[in-house]
Amino acid sequence: TVYMLPIPTDKPGNVEKGFQILEDWAHQVTYNDKDINDERNVILEESRLGQGADERMRRKWLPELFAGSKYANRLPIGIDSIISNFKPDAIRRFYKEWYRPNLMAVIVVGDISSKDAEALVKKHFAHLKNPANPRTREVSPLNPYSKSNAMVVTDKEATNYSISVYYSAIPSKQSSTLGEYRNDMVKQLFAGLVNQRLRELTQKENPPFLAAGMGFSNLARGYEQPYLSVISGENDTKRGLEAALEEVERVKRFGFIAPELERIKKSTLAGIERMHNERDKSESMNFVEEYIGHFLEGEAIPGIENEYKYYQTLMPGITLEDLNAMAKKIAGESGTFFAMLLGPEPSSSVKLPTPAELIDMNMAVAKKDIKPYEEKAIATTLVSKMPVAGKIVSETNDATWGATVWELSNGVKVTVKKTDYKNDQIIMGARRAGGISNYTLADKYNANYATAVAEAMGIGEFSPTDLQKALSGKVASARAVVSGTFDGFSGSSNVKDLETMMQLLYLRATSPRTDTALFRSFVQRNKSQMAFAMGNPQTAFIDTLINTMYDHNPLAPIAVPKAEYFDNINVDRALAIYRERLGDASGMHFVFVGSVDEAVLKPLVETYIASLPSSGKKFDWKDQGVRMTKGQKQLDFYKGQAQQSLILAFHSGEVPYSEDLELKADAISEILNIRIIEELREKIQGIYSGGTSASVEKIPYNNFQIVFQLPCGPEKIDTLLLAMNAEIESLKKNGPTEEVLNKVKQQWVETYKT
């Protein structure tokens, strides 16, 4: 159990009060009968939130995964019948036995001296007493599988097919020596390289699976389990597992090749270098999480300075032989495993593998004829032909923002704001009015998926896989962004790789790549992924709700993509729309914020942004007249096995926009959220979580929207609707109380201060 309190330290008494609260939680909880009984329904609502296809299937496969261990039947959420019926003394006994000083740690990080923190810890915790005869903590063992086993579990509400192979768990402990630390690095590199190869298979024209991954699970503390997981389409469960098993077997037989190892070393070292460069800018929470890991699991905490030295020293010495030896240990000494296939109930024409076939597939892969991995040569230069640079034609200073503004020869504007929040981070954004609102119904799917299609095919001379390899060791990214009402780009880099980010930006804008094989792979993956989406009751509800809310307007936002949408995408038209939106930089405004050196950035802006094509055309968004339904309407939607309900209520309309109104809408939402917790959760005990959100917008038309979301049990719907509407009417008639409004304002002040 971990309690966390973020405390503003600018007011005297805040820290002392925080420690008093922690002490109260640690040993002074009252546990009155009424409080306990009132909380039962709230916990049952929490349990209800987790119900559904995944939970039903999990209860079938978990006992097999953890066969012979207490973990098999001890899910953290517990059992509803116990929550409903336990006697209050049981929870008091539990608290007394386990919430005791010799199982506690207090971690204090932030704007406080060590001396003051120590004094407060002693004041509030030194007097706590341990029980005379403390109960012993049991550690449940996780034994190797006595034999290989498999199972197939289906549920008509599941939304995809996943196949997993878990090898026998082996005891593990947190590293405490440099040798053990090096072994962890080898394991990290090994899993990264296997996953890179599995990702490459998804880029094939007819990919065997949607996604696959290999790693080392820590589901049970003190143990790790090597595993392989695959997500596939309905017709590819067998093919997908076979392809993933073959790739792992290829690694076992032939190992990795030198270029693979060098690339992942570069990327890993670049990541740890960035953390080291930001060592004096780390958030307090990062330290807290490390200290929690140290206390609960014995995780070593040498600090980033030492870890950076370890990586610099140890990484060069890790060899292909180290990684290839790791491959041979995947199945463990026993070689036994547990395999499972989870997914929707299949179509009548589809036959899923049987448990026996899953076992046979795992055993048969060792006898297959498998060729070594081959890799083609990859270009090392991102931009093969450098652009003709433009110029910065004017420079002004924006005193309000403390920023520099450049006007470029192609009409683009660039704002540069240097900050010291991070030592080694530059963030780029670019925006202009536009977006998919400019396209008619005939282009709905081409426009909505234009950037996704372009992303799937790559840029310049690089497929997505080749680009990832070419960027090994670089900390840089750039993406195209097209929303309903704007076009633009986003990106980030460290200081060293700023030019790489600029080159990626230039290629995204000027050189989207056409690859029909990768396009077909994109379509197939998305169709397979969405084929069973409507089996999920909540997904089907949202889809029906959006259609109803917008009176079945075909231009309404896409809430849930459907498999058939992807058949309506034309690759040439989608790329044409991409170029229309992003290939002309007219009216674009770029912003660079962070560890920016203007002298370094200036020639890069002239080379890669001032050179972007610009026609001078006026870009803008369009109001397509899509509106939410008018008047009061109620939709009742029935689907699903679990006793779950979800109340969604939308209050919307057209209203003149102002920043003042937007602020007040936020206040209304926060006020209602406080009342929802006090009335609907604590008093009625009808929800575990829920609340409201509010927005007032001016694009594409002036409007407001307040949304209520209340997950609950079917028997509480009417009660909660009455209570919710009563709170709305009370706020309309009487306004908020001074106390509640002050709570909202105080929270806003603290949030904006941060």
Side-chain angles (χ1 to χ4, degrees), residues 206-265:
N206 185 23
F209 43 68
L210 302 175
M214 185 267 159
F216 300 87
S217 167
N218 300 108
L219 285 172
R221 187 177 294 174
Y223 293 89
E224 67 177 17
Q225 279 186 274
Y227 71 90
L228 178 67
S229 66
V230 176
I231 298 175
S232 78
E234 183 184 34
N235 294 300
D236 294 323
T237 52
K238 187 173 181 181
R239 177 170 164 254
L241 177 59
E242 285 177 338
L245 288 169
E246 284 180 20
E247 205 55 52
V248 175
E249 181 66 21
R250 194 186 327 276
V251 172
K252 286 184 183 178
R253 288 190 205 176
F254 306 108
F256 299 105
I257 59 176
E260 289 181 292
L261 179 57
E262 289 310 305
R263 282 196 301 269
I264 199 166
K265 280 185 176 182

Side-chain angles (χ1 to χ4, degrees), residues 312-517:
Q312 294 288 319
T313 304
L314 298 173
M315 187 67 74
I318 294 176
T319 65
L320 285 172
E321 288 71 26
D322 291 321
L323 270 69
N324 297 340
M326 176 71 66
K328 293 177 172 57
K329 297 177 182 176
I330 287 178
E333 293 181 9
S334 68
T336 52
F337 58 85
F338 168 62
M340 59 181 170
L341 190 159
L342 312 174
E345 294 176 0
S347 309
S348 57
S349 60
V350 174
K351 187 175 181 295
L352 298 178
T354 64
E357 286 174 324
L358 291 175
I359 293 174
D360 289 343
M361 288 161 62
N362 277 272
M363 307 296 280
V365 70
K367 300 174 184 175
K368 286 198 169 187
D369 180 22
I370 297 174
K371 305 293 185 210
Y373 175 78
E374 293 182 356
E375 183 173 87
K376 68 176 184 180
I378 300 168
T380 55
T381 304
L382 288 179
V383 180
S384 56
K385 183 181 179 182
M386 291 297 287
V388 177
K391 291 289 182 184
I392 295 173
V393 295
S394 75
E395 178 175 318
T396 56
N397 292 316
D398 187 324
T400 304
W401 297 107
T404 302
V405 180
W406 295 328
E407 297 283 349
L408 308 185
S409 52
N410 60 353
V412 171
K413 181 188 287 188
V414 177
T415 298
V416 185
K417 166 75 174 176
K418 183 175 177 62
T419 68
D420 58 4
Y421 302 129
K422 296 286 184 183
N423 295 323
D424 195 19
Q425 181 190 66
I426 298 170
I427 295 175
M428 173 196 70
R431 294 291 183 273
R432 72 151 176 241
I436 59 178
S437 62
N438 285 273
Y439 297 91
T440 64
L441 185 59
D443 273 326
K444 178 174 180 176
Y445 303 113
N446 292 321
N448 272 277
Y449 295 106
T451 53
V453 167
E455 184 89 17
M457 296 191 294
I459 52 175
E461 300 174 21
F462 301 90
S463 70
T465 297
D466 293 342
L467 183 62
Q468 185 178 15
K469 292 178 180 179
L471 292 175
S472 294
K474 304 283 189 182
V475 180
S477 67
R479 293 283 181 270
V481 181
V482 178
S483 76
T485 55
F486 71 79
D487 315 315
F489 299 92
S490 65
S492 66
S493 76
N494 60 12
V495 172
K496 185 169 60 176
D497 296 320
L498 172 60
E499 184 166 10
T500 300
M501 177 180 72
M502 301 294 278
Q503 290 177 334
L504 289 170
L505 163 68
Y506 179 77
L507 291 174
R508 295 278 179 212
T510 63
S511 306
R513 181 173 175 269
T514 301
D515 187 320
T516 53

Side-chain angles (χ1 to χ4, degrees), residues 129-292:
K129 299 284 191 269
N130 287 301
N133 298 298
R135 188 172 167 185
T136 304
R137 289 185 71 187
E138 293 180 25
V139 177
S140 182
L142 206 56
N143 300 317
Y145 299 124
S146 57
K147 64 174 184 177
S148 294
N149 193 11
M151 67 190 306
V152 176
V153 183
T154 61
D155 191 293
K156 67 180 181 181
E157 293 177 14
T159 57
N160 60 42
Y161 286 97
S162 67
I163 313 102
S164 301
V165 181
Y166 281 85
Y167 301 96
S168 283
I170 51 178
S172 66
K173 70 180 188 70
Q174 293 288 345
S175 299
S176 58
T177 68
L178 278 180
E180 292 168 342
Y181 191 81
R182 183 182 186 276
N183 287 339
D184 287 344
M185 291 169 63
V186 172
K187 198 181 300 179
Q188 174 190 357
L189 296 179
F190 171 79
L193 287 178
V194 173
N195 289 327
Q196 173 59 41
R197 287 201 184 175
L198 292 171
R199 274 193 298 273
E200 287 184 28
L201 293 179
T202 66
Q203 299 292 310
K204 292 184 176 297
E205 180 172 352
N206 185 23
F209 43 68
L210 302 175
M214 185 267 159
F216 300 87
S217 167
N218 300 108
L219 285 172
R221 187 177 294 174
Y223 293 89
E224 67 177 17
Q225 279 186 274
Y227 71 90
L228 178 67
S229 66
V230 176
I231 298 175
S232 78
E234 183 184 34
N235 294 300
D236 294 323
T237 52
K238 187 173 181 181
R239 177 170 164 254
L241 177 59
E242 285 177 338
L245 288 169
E246 284 180 20
E247 205 55 52
V248 175
E249 181 66 21
R250 194 186 327 276
V251 172
K252 286 184 183 178
R253 288 190 205 176
F254 306 108
F256 299 105
I257 59 176
E260 289 181 292
L261 179 57
E262 289 310 305
R263 282 196 301 269
I264 199 166
K265 280 185 176 182
K266 284 181 183 177
S267 293
T268 306
L269 287 171
I272 197 76
E273 181 182 24
R274 187 172 188 182
M275 292 170 64
H276 181 257
N277 290 345
E278 303 291 3
R279 61 193 180 278
D280 62 337
K281 304 290 186 180
S282 294
E283 300 286 343
S284 296
M285 185 53 69
N286 294 340
F287 291 106
V288 170
E289 288 173 352
E290 284 210 62
Y291 297 148
I292 289 172

